[in-house]
Amino acid sequence: MKIIFESCSENEAFARTVVAAYITRLNPTLEELSDVKTAVSEAVTNCIIHGYENKKGDITMECTIHNNDISIIVEDYGKGIADIEKAMEPLYTTRPEWERSGMGFAFMEAFMDKLKVDSSPGKGTRVFMEKTIGVCEGQE
Amino acid sequence: MLKENMAGFHYELYKNCLVIYITQDLDHHAVLSLRERSDRLIEAGDVKHVIFDFKDTGFMDSSGIGLLMGRYKKVMFIGGRACVTNVGSAVDRIFKISGLYKIIEKYDTPEDAIKALEVKYEDYI
């Protein structure tokens, strides 16, 4: 599944709703569903605020289901990140004036099983996330 | 008592407590309007404490954390406190992971929070 949408804040809810609908067939628990929705919300918000700095641009979201794994790629073609390691530090933000908490990547990391960030300044940022759904033992 | 609905949120002023009822997903989009309106109410009135009620929402991301921390800092300067109420399990996890409970108090309902704040307020006088 691949969609391209505009970088406006209304599309944050749109993107996480699409992914939530897409993974329904994996029978996620409510907790897994909210984990994935939060991670997608963080990734898309980053594209809008940091990638495009609230200007117009395209965001691509690509999801694949393989067995019980959901992989999600969220990509923008905006500013890019010069120091990825620094950007991923919890509480670090380049936008304290907009009250950004600096928890975006930390949440993606906490709520998904895998997270990989590729970026080149001036070209854009690509976030890859993966999570296994519904195979924990002893789950209701 | 002030009561108003703005852009999908409901605000109530009870004595010096501003209660903000969050009635939609608390993401970056929602934060944009919520921040402006709540700050105007805090600055205009005699607001000392802020209570965020999550009864009618089940979703929050890191933008919500930024909003809560920002309002906490605002009322903290005037000796106020910030509380959250009716927190569901998804939002509760976000609060725990982010360490927000170190600065923001959790109560079952807005009424409980108001009670707790007033007790302290009377003590202070």
Side-chain angles (χ1 to χ4, degrees):
Chain A
M1 185 265 288
K2 187 172 181 174
I3 53 169
I4 300 171
F5 53 91
E6 218 175 43
S7 65
C8 57
S9 63
E10 286 86 351
N11 282 336
E12 293 154 8
F14 168 71
R16 56 177 187 266
T17 309
V18 166
V19 177
Y22 183 70
I23 63 169
T24 312
R25 67 170 124 139
L26 295 177
N27 252 327
T29 61
L30 281 178
E31 193 166 288
E32 287 167 337
L33 201 58
S34 108
D35 286 356
V36 172
K37 279 170 74 182
T38 307
V40 168
S41 200
E42 299 298 348
V44 172
T45 304
N46 275 351
C47 298
I48 296 171
I49 293 178
H50 302 289
Y52 293 118
E53 299 180 297
N54 295 321
K55 293 182 199 90
K56 272 196 179 166
D58 284 342
I59 298 169
T60 306
M61 185 168 78
E62 200 176 339
C63 304
T64 323
I65 289 176
H66 182 72
N67 296 326
N68 284 87
D69 299 332
I70 168 78
S71 16
I72 304 166
I73 295 168
V74 178
E75 192 168 9
D76 71 62
Y77 313 94
K79 199 183 172 196
I81 306 168
D83 187 344
I84 296 177
E85 215 173 296
K86 185 88 190 153
M88 290 179 76
E89 273 176 24
L91 302 178
Y92 174 79
T93 181
T94 52
R95 293 288 182 188
E97 74 275 26
W98 291 343
E99 292 189 341
R100 306 308 309 165
S101 62
M103 298 293 288
F105 281 127
F107 279 5
M108 290 182 235
E109 224 160 15
F111 292 132
M112 302 295 282
D113 298 335
K114 274 186 206 160
L115 170 68
K116 197 172 174 295
V117 184
D118 293 311
S119 185
S120 31
K123 285 188 178 161
T125 302
R126 179 189 170 97
V127 170
F128 171 85
M129 306 183 275
E130 199 175 77
K131 189 179 176 73
T132 306
I133 303 291
V135 290
C136 298
E137 282 191 32
Q139 190 177 280
E140 314 128 276
Chain B
M1 179 160 82
L2 174 143
K3 276 193 184 191
E4 65 167 49
N5 278 294
M6 279 277 289
F9 302 103
H10 180 66
Y11 303 85
E12 280 187 25
L13 194 56
Y14 182 85
K15 291 188 182 170
N16 59 359
C17 301
L18 176 65
V19 187
I20 303 170
Y21 294 88
I22 296 161
T23 47
Q24 53 178 269
D25 288 5
L26 192 52
D27 63 3
H28 161 243
H29 178 70
V31 159
L32 294 175
S33 62
L34 185 54
R35 181 167 53 210
E36 199 191 322
R37 190 63 201 145
S38 57
D39 279 357
R40 204 168 298 167
L41 289 169
I42 290 170
E43 281 152 20
D46 300 317
V47 174
K48 188 171 181 188
H49 309 294
V50 195
I51 300 164
F52 295 89
D53 184 76
F54 288 83
K55 187 163 171 266
D56 293 320
T57 188
F59 181 86
M60 188 179 92
D61 64 18
S62 72
S63 303
I65 299 290
L67 174 94
L68 265 63
M69 283 171 60
R71 307 293 77 64
Y72 164 75
K73 282 182 196 158
K74 263 198 152 59
V75 294
M76 185 192 71
F77 278 116
I78 48 166
R81 292 150 69 190
C83 307
V84 292
T85 57
N86 283 309
V87 178
S89 63
V91 175
D92 192 56
R93 286 181 71 214
I94 300 276
F95 285 153
K96 280 183 182 150
I97 288 173
S98 62
L100 207 76
Y101 286 138
K102 284 177 198 148
I103 56 168
I104 289 176
E105 304 158 42
K106 179 167 86 166
Y107 295 96
D108 288 344
T109 65
E111 292 72 29
D112 291 338
I114 287 168
K115 223 177 183 173
L117 291 168
E118 277 188 325
V119 167
K120 290 278 157 90
Y121 186 63
E122 304 296 333
D123 285 352
Y124 186 68
I125 290 170

